[in-house]
Amino acid sequence: MRLLLWLLSPLSYLYQFFFFLDKSRQTSVQLDGAFVISVGNLSFGGTGKTPVVQAIIKLLLKRFPDYQYTILSRGYKAGLSGQGALVSASSLPIEVGDEPLLHKQSLPNVQVIIGGNRVKSYLTFNQMKNGPHIVLLDDGFQHHRIKRNMDIVLLDANAPFGNGFTIPLGTLREKPHALQRATAVLFTKVNSQNRENVIPVQKKIQSKYPHLPNFVSKFEPKLEVVVSSISSSVDSYCLVTGVGNPTSVLKTSNELIQKQPIRMIQFPDHHHYTELDLEKIVNQLAINEALLTTEKDWVKWKFLPSFLSKVKERNIQISLLKIELVVEQFEKWESLFIDHVSNYAKGISPV
């Protein structure tokens, strides 16, 4: 292991150098009239950005219902990412990406724009040009082209800083000192088993950055049957998913469904499902074995008519694992956003 670290450490330092060089060469652009909130990570992998972005918008909608809202995403692995696109509820996931489509279907009145060049995409496709406007920059902490008013950084409670190394030695995009740019830190996926991991990291953050608020949260799961079967009997589940952290999804599923066994079939993150992918799985299901998947996967499954036809023909139930963000000290979390946005509305720069 030490030999591997020694061999790869120059590559890790090289990555950090080029990241710094890229950041120093780019000029940040202000999106005219917009209040920009970035939600991002220090590391690669699933920390739960999608439900957090949606929770922030829902929080703000309650207090500022007359504002206009936009989610601006790169559109990872989306066919239209290169040229950019305005996402509609009927857009194809292969063209606009699974997460942007999920955002649009979950929040129909929110404008969703994708594009590898986010500045260009925003200027091309933005239709919200009158009145106060809040832009959520999805996965934006390392995106240097757009100035932001708030930077929310998510840390997975299971491994807040990974193994401490940047790629290729570890999963970090940036070293922890990058938190000095953040407005707030949100620990996600906190539970009774990993809370002990969080406490020393919280203390370290408070010691180094005493004015940086940090919050603890969990994802509260629930099951929703999206395709029902005539038979109400389910003896087991087959979890099929292509997300950044499938182990976490399986763990959550087992905690939620305790009476029936769950097996998992895993695809790569952001996998573009084909009819053949899912029909093979359907053909191998046991009697009274239901399909289980995530919202990110389901937005892509819905566009596969042959598969859905086979599911109904075979009388197979499909259940959806939905998660809701629950933040401890919610009033303080809510006030953080309301105070900043209120200052923006008054024409005062947030402190």
Side-chain angles (χ1 to χ4, degrees), residues 36-206:
V36 180
I37 303 172
S38 164
V39 177
N41 302 335
L42 277 185
S43 62
F44 287 96
T47 54
K49 289 187 299 295
T50 300
V52 172
V53 166
Q54 293 189 8
I56 291 172
I57 287 183
K58 289 174 183 176
L59 180 159
L60 291 171
L61 273 167
K62 288 182 181 178
R63 182 62 182 265
F64 307 100
D66 298 328
Y67 280 31
Q68 298 171 332
Y69 294 86
T70 294
I71 297 174
L72 187 54
S73 169
R74 179 175 49 147
Y76 181 65
K77 287 191 176 180
L80 296 177
S81 178
Q83 66 192 70
L86 181 64
V87 180
S88 73
S90 59
S91 293
L92 295 176
I94 196 169
E95 293 181 345
V96 301
D98 48 17
E99 290 169 353
L101 183 57
L102 178 57
H103 284 317
K104 187 61 185 177
Q105 292 183 352
S106 303
L107 301 163
N109 294 324
V110 172
Q111 177 178 249
V112 180
I113 297 172
I114 66 162
N117 185 331
R118 298 196 217 192
V119 174
K120 182 181 177 182
S121 294
Y122 179 82
L123 295 175
T124 302
F125 298 103
N126 174 41
Q127 298 178 353
M128 310 269 189
K129 298 181 179 177
N130 297 309
H133 188 187
I134 296 176
V135 174
L136 268 288
L137 195 57
D138 192 355
D139 196 10
F141 194 54
Q142 287 77 35
H143 185 77
H144 313 305
R145 290 281 321 279
I146 296 175
K147 290 182 180 178
R148 67 286 312 277
N149 302 83
M150 298 181 72
D151 258 307
I152 310 302
V153 179
L154 311 187
L155 299 179
D156 186 335
N158 295 299
F161 299 132
N163 63 357
F165 293 98
T166 55
I167 57 173
L169 281 174
T171 58
L172 285 177
R173 300 174 179 181
E174 295 184 79
K175 287 285 193 176
H177 64 73
L179 289 178
Q180 62 189 315
R181 305 198 314 267
T183 306
V185 170
L186 177 67
F187 290 90
T188 61
K189 306 178 186 178
V190 177
N191 55 42
S192 56
Q193 288 76 40
N194 62 29
R195 189 175 285 269
E196 291 301 314
N197 298 340
V198 173
I199 294 172
V201 180
Q202 282 183 300
K203 288 180 179 177
K204 188 174 181 180
I205 290 173
Q206 287 167 354

Side-chain angles (χ1 to χ4, degrees), residues 257-272:
I257 304 167
Q258 298 182 1
K259 294 184 179 180
Q260 293 94 355
I262 302 171
R263 66 185 178 99
M264 181 169 71
I265 296 175
Q266 178 183 337
F267 287 89
D269 192 17
H270 299 282
H271 180 67
H272 292 305

Side-chain angles (χ1 to χ4, degrees), residues 310-334:
K310 195 153 198 173
V311 162
K312 291 179 181 177
E313 180 188 315
R314 291 274 310 273
N315 192 30
I316 294 166
Q317 177 178 301
I318 301 179
S319 291
L320 196 60
L321 184 68
K322 302 187 77 170
I323 56 174
E324 181 180 345
L325 179 72
V326 178
V327 181
E328 294 180 13
Q329 293 183 296
F330 178 75
E331 289 183 1
K332 185 180 175 184
W333 168 257
E334 183 181 45

